């Protein structure tokens, strides 16, 4: 029933981490549009969700939230299962994590806080590895992806 429209990857690009979620409407916990956060070795992508294979006109908007990893400067936890991702261009993306299994209803956001925390950790680690963001100096030798 629910399927994510996976982004095309470059030949040398590898998926490191994925997290189901949605873009919230303003400061609410309500969903504007479902998406899959896809962290790769060079980009942070958002794959739109399709329900019953029906294309949604917001798919281009969802994909437009994607960033090159060197442009990502911060990932911060926010209220509930929300996290914010900032770029060096001043763009900020809010994303709410949902549980990795089940339907992922918005009222389950409290249960998804560990998913949010893991997503923040993964994005921060990727930022450090690429040498960008506020934690880049903490890595020293560039680190290794685990």
């Amino acid at each position: 029933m629910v399927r994510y429209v996976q982004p095309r990857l470059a030949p040398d690009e590898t998926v490191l981490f994925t997290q189901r979620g949605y873009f919230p409407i303003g400061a609410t916990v309500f969903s504007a549009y479902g998406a899959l956060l896809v962290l790769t070795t060079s980009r942070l992508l958002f794959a739109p969700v399709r329900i019953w294979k029906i294309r949604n006109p917001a798919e281009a908007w969802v994909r437009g939230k994607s960033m090159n990893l060197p442009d990502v400067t911060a990932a911060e936890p926010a209220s509930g299962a929300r996290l914010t991702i900032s770029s060096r261009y001043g763009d900020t993306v809010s994303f709410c994590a949902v549980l990795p299994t089940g339907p992922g209803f918005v009222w389950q956001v409290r249960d998804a806080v560990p998913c949010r925390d893991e997503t923040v950790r993964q994005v921060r680690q990727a930022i450090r590895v690429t040498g960008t963001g506020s934690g880049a100096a903490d890595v020293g030798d560039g680190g290794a992806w685990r």
Side-chain angles (χ1 to χ4, degrees), residues 23 28 33 35 52 55 60 62-63 74 84 87 90-91 95-97 104 112 126-127 141 145:
F23 296 106
T28 71
Y33 197 79
W52 295 301
R55 183 179 171 85
V62 170
R63 289 182 194 280
T84 57
S87 81
D91 300 323
F95 183 77
C96 286
I127 291 170
D141 65 352
W145 190 266

Side-chain angles (χ1 to χ4, degrees), residues 39-90:
L39 182 62
T40 74
T41 50
S42 60
R43 297 182 290 170
L44 183 107
L45 305 167
F46 292 98
V49 65
R50 286 189 182 166
I51 300 172
W52 295 301
K53 298 183 183 181
I54 298 171
R55 183 179 171 85
N56 188 307
E59 287 185 16
W61 177 80
V62 170
R63 289 182 194 280
K65 302 281 185 190
S66 299
M67 303 175 192
N68 288 324
L69 201 51
D71 295 336
V72 177
T73 57
E76 300 295 330
S79 64
R82 181 188 299 245
L83 62 124
T84 57
I85 301 165
S86 304
S87 81
R88 66 179 170 161
Y89 301 111

Side-chain angles (χ1 to χ4, degrees), residues 67-136:
M67 303 175 192
N68 288 324
L69 201 51
D71 295 336
V72 177
T73 57
E76 300 295 330
S79 64
R82 181 188 299 245
L83 62 124
T84 57
I85 301 165
S86 304
S87 81
R88 66 179 170 161
Y89 301 111
D91 300 323
T92 301
V93 175
S94 287
F95 183 77
C96 286
V98 296
L99 297 173
T101 58
F105 295 117
V106 296
W107 56 81
Q108 295 174 323
V109 292
R110 270 193 228 145
D111 297 336
V113 169
C115 299
R116 178 211 55 199
D117 293 345
E118 180 60 15
T119 303
V120 167
R121 190 187 73 71
Q122 291 282 347
V123 173
R124 285 178 175 173
Q125 182 175 355
I127 291 170
R128 285 191 295 272
V129 169
T130 61
T132 62
S134 58

